[in-house]
Amino acid sequence: MTTVPVPVLEARGASLRFGERVLWDDLDLTLRPGEFLTVLGSNGSGKSSLLKAVLGLQPLTSGTIALQGRPIAHGDRHVGYVPQQRLFSPGTPIRGRDLVALGVDGHRPGVRLAGRRATRDRVDAALAAVGGESFAKRPVGQLSGGEQQRVRIAQALVSDPALLLCDEPLISLDLHNQRQIVQLIDERRRLHGTPVVFVTHDVNPVLEMTDRVLYLAAGSYRIGLPDEILRSDVLTELYGTPVEVARVGGRVVVLGAPTPHNADHPHHVEVVA
Amino acid sequence: MNDIDWSTVVNFDDYGLLLQLVQYSLLAAAVLGIAGGIVGVFVMQRDMAFAVHGISELSFAGAAGALLLGTSVVTGSLVGSLVAAVAIGLLGHRAGDRNSIIGVLMPFGLGLGILFLALYPGRASSKFSLLTGQIISVDGPQLGSLVAICAIAIGVLLLIWRPLLFDSLDPDVAAARGVRGRLLSVVFMLALGLVVSVAVQIVGALLVLALLVTPAAAALRVSASPVVVPLLAAGFGVLAAVGGILLALGGSLPVSPYITSISFLTYFVCRAIGLARTRGQSRQRTTSAQSVVEPGEPTPVVEPGERQRA
């Protein structure tokens, strides 16, 4: 390799501990333009906390995380963020397009006076990109789960982010909508080289576009190509207990992975329908 | 026994003369109506109606304390209001914490206020007016400061408008985009405290919600636009506050019941309009959904149940 692209995101020796509990320790990670990083791990393994740490909303116990060479203190307008899918309640007093507009300039003080037209054009373009023109004028709480999530994607992309963070954006979506959302995210990184950090409990919907997998478990982590990480021997070593990775009908299924909190919810024992 | 002399209850003689006497009260009411309507939109978005009630009880305690000490009632209610607002803002960042803190503060404030009033040797009518309001009893220079307080609150809200809206409706993404939610919350509470302290003196501590929640709640029934809702809410607030005084002038009844009734009526009408509209829309949507079923599209089996699952 002759030229090494500038890392968009770089973590050096990043650790996060809550008291005695170690979520991840000494995490080194370099994300290059256009890369799709899928973050896997049991519930409570610190997947969402990793995104919060990148955003500077969760202080690290030690180490650094930097975006384009500088650390983030309290969120950043150069980062697109799709939060854990929580539906807006039906009475939420805002329309879909207003939510997208807040992605343009919601961080700026005052009332939107100047640049209304420019904002509207950007919002229209972002909504068109996710196919959301038809429903964007309705109150966001009245939209279906898939529609709400498309509004979320438009909101995250409207600011032309340098990095896209997605926290379980597919939860509670049916397969059809899952595929659409994943396609929108994939399109963004292919067309604009925006790297994606995609937190999910199920790798299958994004397996195709995943460049690397970061697997968090038992206070440790493994990072590498999907085929290097999603293997019985690698995950058994990581978890410290026998774990089996099976490929059933084109799907990757992780069997027997323990969760740190609750053994009654083995989220990684997936039943293939 | 029950002989009400209706000529004193409703009497529009000498109306023009009275109107001149209360022109400053009308101005104060109009400004409060605007401030209350606008702040109410955020109160609704942040689900803080209960906090408004809590602040108003401590504002009442402050005003009653000032009455007892012989100092300015405006200052007293302002101090009580701001102390409560900051306490709720700092201690109750999460909704659950907030409600319990308000639940603790509210009876304490009300009790304190009643204690001060019991000790106060002055006229009983001014005691009562702090709870149920009587703008006509507020004098000229005081009215000036009430208008100024409302103007400051409106100014602060305009200054933090967009990030506050973002933080109120979509706090996770707002934080990710660099909005300082904690700071905004405290600034918003201060602005809310300012408006409440004025409202306590005009409609009384017990009826503050009629100007700080009802107009915004009514506006939200008919629109979800971030421009239309605050404008409508401010309009409804002015309608209730000014309309209430204008009606009260023509008789012997206090201002508050007029204000609360107008306020309630706007909400009732807006609710009816909103209901009629959603009915019309859902009828339209079912018919259009039936007509565009594309062959080959997988049926979104999960969608109707999604909301229940979340």
Side-chain angles (χ1 to χ4, degrees), chain A residues 91-192:
Chain A
T92 305
I94 195 167
R95 300 169 305 184
R97 58 175 303 115
D98 303 321
L99 207 64
V100 178
L102 285 174
V104 178
D105 59 7
H107 58 285
R108 308 241 304 263
V111 184
R112 190 180 299 131
L113 293 172
R116 291 183 74 92
R117 178 174 290 264
T119 305
R120 200 170 59 217
D121 291 346
R122 284 177 72 179
V123 170
D124 285 339
L127 281 167
V130 301
E133 307 102 314
S134 58
F135 52 76
K137 282 199 168 165
R138 280 173 29 212
V140 70
Q142 292 176 15
L143 303 180
S144 76
E147 289 168 342
Q148 287 191 21
Q149 207 58 347
R150 273 191 271 171
V151 168
R152 286 263 181 232
I153 302 285
Q155 184 196 37
L157 296 183
V158 73
S159 58
D160 196 17
L163 171 69
L164 187 58
L165 305 177
C166 304
D167 194 353
E168 298 270 18
L170 306 181
I171 279 187
S172 88
L173 295 185
D174 59 287
L175 279 177
H176 172 67
N177 275 308
Q178 281 190 5
R179 213 171 299 137
Q180 280 195 333
I181 296 299
V182 168
Q183 266 167 14
L184 289 169
I185 294 169
D186 191 42
E187 210 173 270
R188 169 74 200 185
R189 67 151 189 149
R190 279 190 288 104
L191 295 180
H192 300 266

Side-chain angles (χ1 to χ4, degrees), chain A:
Chain A
M1 224 192 267
T2 47
T3 52
V4 181
V6 193
V8 179
L9 185 75
E10 191 167 34
R12 286 280 158 264
S15 306
L16 183 62
R17 256 165 261 171
F18 291 127
E20 290 290 288
R21 198 157 70 90
V22 181
L23 290 180
W24 21 269
D25 195 33
D26 204 17
L27 176 69
D28 287 323
L29 170 71
T30 306
L31 210 57
R32 299 221 149 74
E35 194 171 4
F36 195 109
L37 178 75
T38 299
V39 183
L40 295 167
S42 319
N43 279 357
S45 61
K47 301 190 298 272
S48 296
S49 304
L50 177 64
L51 297 189
K52 296 265 182 225
V54 170
L55 288 166
L57 300 173
Q58 169 64 58
L60 293 169
T61 313
S62 62
T64 57
I65 298 181
L67 174 75
Q68 292 171 325
R70 55 186 182 84
I72 303 177
H74 288 279
D76 193 286
R77 61 199 173 80
H78 299 293
V79 180
Y81 178 58
V82 182
Q84 230 169 45
Q85 226 243 12
R86 210 178 43 204
L87 290 173
F88 288 97
S89 68
T92 305
I94 195 167
R95 300 169 305 184
R97 58 175 303 115
D98 303 321
L99 207 64
V100 178
L102 285 174
V104 178
D105 59 7
H107 58 285
R108 308 241 304 263
V111 184
R112 190 180 299 131
L113 293 172
R116 291 183 74 92
R117 178 174 290 264
T119 305
R120 200 170 59 217
D121 291 346
R122 284 177 72 179
V123 170
D124 285 339
L127 281 167
V130 301
E133 307 102 314
S134 58
F135 52 76
K137 282 199 168 165
R138 280 173 29 212
V140 70
Q142 292 176 15
L143 303 180
S144 76
E147 289 168 342
Q148 287 191 21
Q149 207 58 347
R150 273 191 271 171
V151 168
R152 286 263 181 232
I153 302 285
Q155 184 196 37
L157 296 183
V158 73
S159 58
D160 196 17
L163 171 69
L164 187 58
L165 305 177
C166 304
D167 194 353
E168 298 270 18
L170 306 181
I171 279 187
S172 88
L173 295 185
D174 59 287
L175 279 177
H176 172 67
N177 275 308
Q178 281 190 5
R179 213 171 299 137
Q180 280 195 333
I181 296 299
V182 168
Q183 266 167 14
L184 289 169
I185 294 169
D186 191 42
E187 210 173 270
R188 169 74 200 185
R189 67 151 189 149
R190 279 190 288 104
L191 295 180
H192 300 266
T194 314
V196 178
V197 180
F198 194 100
V199 167
T200 178
H201 69 279
D202 180 9
V203 68
N204 290 295
V206 289
L207 192 57
E208 213 180 300
M209 55 240 21
T210 297
D211 293 315
R212 282 193 294 167
V213 167
L214 170 63
Y215 206 112
L216 303 173
S220 188
Y221 73 93
R222 291 288 183 280
I223 187 163
L225 301 174
D227 288 341
E228 293 172 353
I229 304 298
L230 299 172
R231 279 167 33 185
S232 300
D233 56 336
V234 173
L235 291 190
T236 296
E237 194 197 328
L238 178 61
Y239 276 107
T241 118
V243 171
E244 197 171 331
V245 180
R247 289 185 185 257
V248 189
R251 283 171 63 89
V252 175
V253 183
V254 179
L255 298 154
T259 60
H261 298 312
N262 198 341
D264 297 337
H265 287 284
H267 270 253
H268 285 256
V269 179
E270 290 186 347
V271 183
V272 179

